């Protein structure tokens, strides 16, 4: 299972229900990595998308405890166990896509982490664990440094040792 996230220098990921900053290069990268694949997300992340609509061209699996929640174009699950049963054993095309609550529940199920690091810090109310502190993970690929709107950022891939 994979995980994909964009973090700032403090491993912050969100504020007021949205992303810290919109970088079109990162959104394109997210699309390239996940197109045709399966996304797992929390209800709040779905609601952060434009029009609270699922992302096209991908299977959108959404977690909520609300029994009457049925957003169009999504598959809704009410527990991690229910969702995991539906996935089956091959999770190589599955991407955990946030937010904080869902990332933390699935972190140990993932073996590949696609992390965009933004070289700035932003006010935030959601965060992600610092993968550079993890001795069981290593960086196995990184892109060159990108720049947009004066903001530098870089794509990394972490895998289990
Ligand atoms: N930087 C990034 O890469 C990135 C990516 C995605 C999101 N984000 C940001 O992260 C923030 C949202 O994160 P968040 O932690 O507030 O919310 P979230 O993880 O998106 O959603 C949390 C909700 O998911 C449902 N849920 C979670 N685990 C569940 C379980 N085991 N069983 C049933 N339902 C479950 C619950 O929904 P109910 O309340 O409906 O029961 C819970 O309130 C936003 O600011 C967003 O922009 C950042």
């Amino acid at each position: 299972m994979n995980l994909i996230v964009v973090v700032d220098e403090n491993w912050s990921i969100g504020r007021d229900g949205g992303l810290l900053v919109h970088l079109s290069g990162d959104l394109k990268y997210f699309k390239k990595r996940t197109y045709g694949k399966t996304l797992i997300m929390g209800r709040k992340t779905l609601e952060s998308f434009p029009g609270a609509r699922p992302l096209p061209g991908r299977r959108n699996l959404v977690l909520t405890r609300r029994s009457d929640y049925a957003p169009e174009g999504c598959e809704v699950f009410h527990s991690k166990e229910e969702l995991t049963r539906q996935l089956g054993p091959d999770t190589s095309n599955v991407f955990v896509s946030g937010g904080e609550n869902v990332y933390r529940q699935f972190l140990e199920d993932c073996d590949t982490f696609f992390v965009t690091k933004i070289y700035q810090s932003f006010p935030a109310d959601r965060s992600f664990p610092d993968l550079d502190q993890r001795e069981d993970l290593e960086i196995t690929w990184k892109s060159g440094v990108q720049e947009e709107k004066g903001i530098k950022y870089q794509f990394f891939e972490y895998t289990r040792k």
Side-chain angles (χ1 to χ4, degrees):
M1 192 178 299
N2 308 278
L3 184 152
I4 187 161
V5 65
V6 50
V7 302
D8 79 355
E9 285 181 338
N10 304 312
W11 293 81
S12 296
I13 64 163
R15 186 188 181 195
D16 294 337
L19 293 173
L20 299 176
V21 60
H22 285 267
L23 297 169
S24 65
D26 183 55
L27 297 175
K28 278 198 199 106
Y29 177 78
F30 179 88
K31 185 171 182 183
K32 191 180 106 187
R33 284 282 181 205
T34 63
Y35 205 78
K37 312 276 170 67
T38 296
L39 305 179
I40 296 176
M41 71 192 84
R43 190 259 309 161
K44 292 181 186 173
T45 290
L46 174 69
E47 293 186 352
S48 76
F49 296 159
R53 304 269 307 148
L55 296 179
R58 283 148 281 195
R59 206 175 154 201
N60 288 246
L61 310 187
V62 179
L63 277 164
T64 180
R65 293 189 178 83
R66 298 181 180 178
S67 53
D68 57 347
Y69 194 69
E72 210 185 315
C74 299
E75 295 168 58
V76 174
F77 299 90
H78 301 97
S79 69
K80 183 182 172 188
E81 294 64 36
E82 187 195 350
L83 187 151
T84 308
R85 268 199 306 276
Q86 172 67 29
L87 288 179
D90 181 6
T91 54
S92 55
N93 283 327
V94 177
F95 285 75
V96 178
S97 307
E100 174 175 347
N101 185 304
V102 166
Y103 284 139
R104 290 186 188 276
Q105 292 177 63
F106 283 86
L107 198 74
E108 301 311 327
D109 301 302
C110 295
D111 43 37
T112 307
F113 302 79
F114 297 97
V115 180
T116 305
K117 287 188 189 174
I118 301 173
Y119 295 117
Q120 265 189 35
S121 58
F122 295 86
D125 54 27
R126 292 291 184 277
S127 68
F128 189 86
D130 180 348
L131 298 189
D132 293 323
Q133 301 298 321
R134 296 274 306 235
E135 298 203 337
D136 56 333
L137 300 179
E138 61 186 347
I139 293 172
T140 43
W141 173 81
K142 63 183 175 188
S143 71
V145 177
Q146 320 284 309
E147 185 166 352
E148 199 177 314
K149 301 188 223 169
I151 299 173
K152 289 191 166 59
Y153 61 101
Q154 193 169 9
F155 304 120
F156 290 84
E157 188 177 321
Y158 292 74
T159 53
R160 291 193 184 270
K161 284 180 184 166

